[in-house]
Amino acid sequence: MLKPDDYLGEINAVIARSTESDGLTPTAVDHLFFGRQSSPSLPMHLAQWPCFALVTQGAKRLTLGDEVFHYGVGDCLLVTLDLPVVSCIVEATPERPKLSLGMAIDSARLQEVLSRVSLPPEALRCDTLRGVAVHKAPLELLDAMLRLVRLLERPQDIAAMAPLIEQEILYRLLTGPHGPTLLRIASANSPGNKIARAIAWLRQHYAQPLRIDALAQHVGMSPSSLHHHFSQVTAMTPLQYQKRLRLQEARRLMLVDCLDVGSAGYRVGYQSASQFSREYSRQFGLSPLRDVESARGTGLGYVALADAQA
């Protein structure tokens, strides 16, 4: 039996051979991508979708609300909801770049795995888990991930084998230390699942005025229960979550669609230009105009939704 360092070394070698430049590299396996970065980065504001990521070289930091998660070699990050986060690479050099892999979580395949397994009762006991978790990757998970990345060197096997290994990976996540976090969101009618539905509604209607009573009714919770569980899962209130969505979208509109400050603020739901500028400055550290000029000057641009935490 290989040791964790052996698995990590082999996975790292595949990633190194498959990535020629910094950034995210999609692979021939659906939902699987590799990340490479040759230097530490400035904090990047991201709209993160459900995925898990394994670091095989270097280290990263992710901030959700006011909570900070550090993860390095052998650590597996799990994100179970669409969340506005701040990501930063903290350990990387040209000689030893940060290398990692990420896999988007396919909800249909997750439900399929859940329909075939019996999970221990203790996995259902906690209703107040964050939508982000970091744990050391178990040996069984590393073994499945190594077999998945090896398929890239046997492309003729990908169509037949990749879906099976992906299901195994989801099973290992469910039955390992990440299980309660993932199960809280996947289980129908659990508070975590209702918060996931609330988040989906907020992402679709972020530019509209937020009425907590209406949102609570939409997901089948009381306003107080919605507020409590939302804060437990996301480390934010619903209003704070909506505000971050609005500001991130406004930043994208200015950087990608070249909207002016006033138009971007109005598009995402702000009626007051001064309030938009004030909250934008508090979130990103610069006024909207200065932030956009700085981002374009450094070539950072906007980190799109597809830039998950690899």
Side-chain angles (χ1 to χ4, degrees):
M1 174 70 73
L2 295 177
K3 297 179 180 179
D5 287 347
D6 299 324
Y7 285 108
L8 289 166
E10 289 201 42
I11 296 171
N12 193 69
V14 174
I15 297 173
R17 290 195 296 270
S18 304
T19 54
E20 297 180 353
S21 58
D22 286 357
L24 287 179
T25 300
T27 73
V29 175
D30 283 346
H31 308 131
L32 179 69
F33 50 90
F34 296 150
R36 181 189 187 104
Q37 188 70 31
S38 299
S39 63
S41 72
L42 295 172
M44 296 178 290
H45 293 262
L46 306 170
Q48 179 61 58
W49 34 257
C51 72
F52 79 89
L54 173 73
V55 174
T56 59
Q57 190 167 277
K60 295 191 70 174
R61 181 178 70 238
L62 181 140
T63 303
L64 174 67
D66 294 326
E67 190 166 354
V68 179
F69 298 84
H70 297 272
Y71 53 112
V73 176
D75 289 329
C76 188
L77 170 81
L78 177 70
V79 180
T80 58
L81 298 159
D82 293 325
L83 294 170
V85 300
V86 181
S87 176
C88 184
I89 296 166
V90 296
E91 184 181 317
T93 67
E95 296 74 25
R96 288 185 60 81
K98 186 279 299 177
L99 296 176
S100 55
L101 66 78
M103 192 178 89
I105 295 176
D106 184 284
S107 59
R109 288 182 180 172
L110 176 61
Q111 292 298 330
E112 185 179 348
V113 173
L114 277 171
S115 70
R116 300 201 308 267
V117 300
S118 297
L119 296 172
E122 55 267 25
L124 290 165
R125 286 178 186 163
C126 182
D127 267 332
T128 57
L129 295 172
R130 287 279 189 258
V132 173
V134 174
H135 294 284
K136 282 293 179 185
L139 202 61
E140 297 82 4
L141 179 60
L142 291 174
D143 178 68
M145 293 166 81
L146 176 57
R147 284 184 278 113
L148 184 68
V149 300
R150 279 176 171 169
L151 290 179
L152 298 173
E153 298 173 345
R154 301 191 308 274
Q156 70 276 9
D157 295 339
I158 290 176
M161 297 303 299
L164 301 178
I165 300 176
E166 181 183 346
Q167 289 191 356
E168 179 184 350
I169 288 172
L170 292 173
Y171 172 76
R172 298 301 180 190
L173 288 171
L174 283 166
T175 56
H178 285 96
T181 303
L182 190 55
L183 191 60
R184 281 295 95 201
I185 306 304
S187 300
N189 296 319
S190 71
N193 184 270
K194 291 179 179 180
I195 296 307
R197 286 156 49 197
I199 284 174
W201 189 93
L202 285 169
R203 293 196 67 84
Q204 190 172 8
H205 303 92
Y206 62 86
Q208 299 179 12
L210 176 59
R211 294 178 54 240
I212 294 296
D213 289 352
L215 180 59
Q217 184 177 14
H218 175 73
V219 300
M221 303 179 83
S222 69
S224 60
S225 180
L226 170 67
H227 194 279
H228 170 72
H229 288 289
F230 198 100
S231 298
Q232 288 289 338
V233 171
T234 69
M236 289 170 270
T237 67
L239 185 60
Q240 289 171 331
Y241 184 95
Q242 182 200 47
K243 184 183 298 183
R244 296 199 181 198
L245 286 182
R246 285 181 166 184
L247 294 173
Q248 286 188 351
E249 175 61 10
R251 192 170 193 256
R252 188 197 69 81
L253 289 169
M254 291 185 290
L255 285 169
V256 178
D257 294 352
C258 298
L259 262 65
D260 60 77
V261 173
S263 298
Y266 182 78
R267 180 80 64 87
V268 301
Y270 282 92
Q271 302 301 314
S272 166
S274 61
Q275 182 186 3
F276 170 62
S277 182
R278 184 168 58 252
E279 293 186 355
Y280 190 102
S281 300
R282 190 178 301 124
Q283 174 71 23
F284 296 111
L286 293 170
S287 69
L289 187 58
R290 290 183 62 191
D291 179 54
V292 170
E293 290 175 347
S294 176
R296 288 173 176 161
T298 57
L300 291 177
Y302 176 75
V303 180
L305 298 186
D307 289 358
Q309 294 302 314

